[in-house]
Amino acid sequence: MIYLDASATTPLLPEVLDAMLPWLREGFHNPNASYAGAKQARRAIDAAREQIAALIGAEPDEIVFTSGGTESTNSALKWLARLVGRKTGRVVTSAIEHSAVLKPCETFAEVGYPVAFCPVTPLGRLDLDAYRTACAAARDGGGFASIMWVNNETGVIQPLAEACAIAKENGLAFHTDAIQAVGKILVNVRDIPVDFLSLSGHKFHGPKGIGALYIRRGCRFEPLLRGGGQEHDRRSGTENTAAIAGLGKAAELAAARLQGPSLAPLRDAFEAEVLRTVEGAQVNGDPAHRLPGASHISFERCEASGLLILLDDMGIACSAGSACMTGRQQPSHVQTAMGFPRARAVSSLRFGFSILNTMDEAHHAAACVAKAVEKLRRVQGSGIGPVMVYTP
Ligand SMILES: Cc1ncc(COP(=O)(O)O)c(C=O)c1O
């Protein structure tokens, strides 16, 4: 199988597994206890905190471990909503956020917060004029903004420095969902002074179910989860030492990788071949601001669900750029926000390369895509058809 879905998740690296195993075996102790084994576990957690902090340019005491990206975003957003209050506080976000941000923001709107879901350009980048207007409207009453660093469907890198600066100019706190950015591109909270940042281990070859929330020193914060007071009372629950150690190792490896070769040549070779061999293929998203390993392509007259089945049969794992609901492809909220016509939106696929992919795989995958498109169009004729086409 050729795995090309690195935006969904990435495989655990062997070094990461090795870093985890001792804490699943003999190192099982509760890190909050006082005996020697517990102290060792505590030291492993502290070391991982330093590794994560180093990856994003933070101080170790600014890192709080969580159960993953969703918990991190929810912790930050729900706290900020409580802090600013719904009487005057405004929420500014974008229309293309992941549901881990969109859903909490929708809930804020339901209970009375004014929430601005700012539009994006046809290339999938935040519309800074609309965003500036929304932040200015929040200026007097206070509020906060949450903008993702990289979009999970298109791989488009957002104008984060500008978005953070505009929020600050208007006195708004700023959170970023950096779950698709951390470990893949340079993320430094000293260069871009966000207040809160969410990250997740499984997007950069760490384990699933572990993530972190960065909280800038001096920012007020009250936890989502209360209990035993772990993580300096910022996230209660007995620490998952193995997952935290794995996250730390993944961060250390990612930091080293960021100094090395980019994934862009693999992605570019794949895209060049697809564009050369497949008539009516179109790459989506801002070419000047894309994650090096990300590719999002629409295939005229080919419904994504059909392509996915054919590609899966050929051993290629990728995903659709749209959701399948009640048997019918639905354009994703991201593509809708980018203004794609329905036909283009439901015919797009998302490919995500990681360091485990090779150039041979990129070529082979491109050839498979060309075959799958050709087959689907042949069986289907003109127009987008139902899934009865998937006979062998
Ligand atoms: C942009 C973005 N935000 C949030 C999440 C949720 O992260 P997790 O799976 O760690 O809860 C994801 C994962 O798909 C994501 O891509």
Side-chain angles (χ1 to χ4, degrees):
M1 195 251 293
I2 299 180
Y3 182 72
L4 295 181
D5 204 10
S7 297
T9 194
T10 51
L12 207 65
L13 290 176
E15 299 93 318
V16 174
L17 181 61
D18 289 346
M20 295 172 70
L21 285 175
W23 310 107
L24 290 167
R25 293 188 175 129
E26 62 282 3
F28 64 89
H29 308 94
N30 188 324
N32 303 294
S34 57
Y35 29 81
K39 285 183 188 151
Q40 277 178 7
R42 170 61 54 206
R43 279 197 289 277
I45 291 172
D46 289 344
R49 204 182 303 282
E50 285 178 16
Q51 288 163 314
I52 278 288
L55 179 62
I56 62 167
E59 297 299 329
D61 65 358
E62 295 176 311
I63 303 295
V64 175
F65 292 117
T66 65
S67 67
T70 303
E71 186 190 318
S72 296
T73 57
N74 273 260
S75 300
L77 298 175
K78 289 179 182 173
W79 157 244
L80 286 169
R82 197 146 69 84
L83 182 67
V84 302
R86 79 181 135 183
K87 282 215 181 90
T88 54
R90 282 174 179 263
V91 182
V92 181
T93 187
S94 81
I96 58 162
E97 299 293 314
H98 186 274
S99 47
V101 167
L102 276 187
K103 296 279 174 187
C105 289
E106 284 165 12
T107 309
F108 303 149
E110 277 162 29
V111 299
Y113 285 84
V115 182
F117 295 95
C118 296
V120 295
T121 67
L123 291 179
R125 285 196 110 206
L126 179 67
D127 175 338
L128 281 173
D129 290 337
Y131 173 77
R132 190 176 283 107
T133 305
C135 287
R139 188 184 185 103
D140 294 335
F144 67 92
S146 183
I147 298 294
M148 68 194 332
W149 202 304
V150 171
N151 180 264
N152 48 297
E153 285 186 31
T154 58
V156 172
I157 301 170
Q158 300 302 316
L160 229 275
E162 293 90 329
C164 181
I166 293 168
K168 295 289 160 104
E169 278 159 24
N170 289 286
L172 306 186
F174 189 79
H175 165 259
T176 181
D177 170 352
I179 289 161
Q180 291 289 345
V182 170
K184 297 178 176 176
I185 53 173
L186 279 179
V187 167
N188 192 311
V189 295
R190 297 287 160 248
D191 298 341
I192 303 184
V194 302
D195 299 310
F196 295 86
L197 174 149
S198 296
L199 64 90
S200 175
H202 71 104
K203 304 293 183 181
F204 57 99
H205 303 284
K208 295 177 189 37
I210 187 75
L213 177 64
Y214 159 82
I215 306 172
R216 178 171 294 278
R217 262 186 202 163
C219 283
R220 282 172 66 197
F221 177 71
E222 286 191 22
L224 184 68
L225 300 184
R226 291 177 180 278
Q230 289 89 347
E231 294 293 285
H232 295 285
D233 209 14
R234 293 183 294 182
R235 199 281 185 180
S236 287
T238 304
E239 297 88 339
N240 183 345
T241 312
I244 292 173
L247 179 68
K249 189 67 186 177
E252 181 193 297
L253 296 171
R257 267 198 316 275
L258 287 170
Q259 309 299 322
S262 160
L263 292 171
L266 279 185
R267 188 269 316 271
D268 293 347
F270 168 78
E271 279 185 350
E273 202 158 320
V274 168
L275 293 178
R276 186 176 59 77
T277 53
V278 182
E279 187 214 314
Q282 193 173 359
V283 173
N284 301 317
D286 190 338
H289 298 99
R290 275 197 306 161
L291 210 59
S295 176
H296 191 275
I297 308 180
S298 297
F299 300 92
E300 238 172 61
R301 292 181 289 113
C302 278
E303 201 158 291
S305 55
L307 285 177
L308 279 185
I309 295 171
L310 293 173
L311 285 170
D312 188 29
D313 280 351
M314 295 180 202
I316 310 292
C318 60
S319 66
S322 54
C324 185
M325 286 176 195
T326 56
R328 197 163 178 251
Q329 287 297 122
Q330 296 293 333
S332 78
H333 67 287
V334 176
Q335 295 175 76
T336 303
M338 289 163 75
F340 283 16
R342 186 179 180 282
R344 179 168 167 199
V346 299
S347 68
S348 58
L349 293 182
R350 177 184 77 171
F351 304 90
F353 291 83
S354 82
I355 40 146
L356 297 176
N357 294 119
T358 63
M359 194 52 99
D360 280 350
E361 288 182 341
H363 289 302
H364 182 67
C368 290
V369 168
K371 259 190 236 146
V373 170
E374 195 271 325
K375 181 167 183 179
L376 195 54
R377 285 181 181 158
R378 181 160 35 85
V379 185
Q380 198 170 252
S382 60
I384 288 176
V387 185
M388 65 187 203
V389 292
Y390 310 123
T391 47

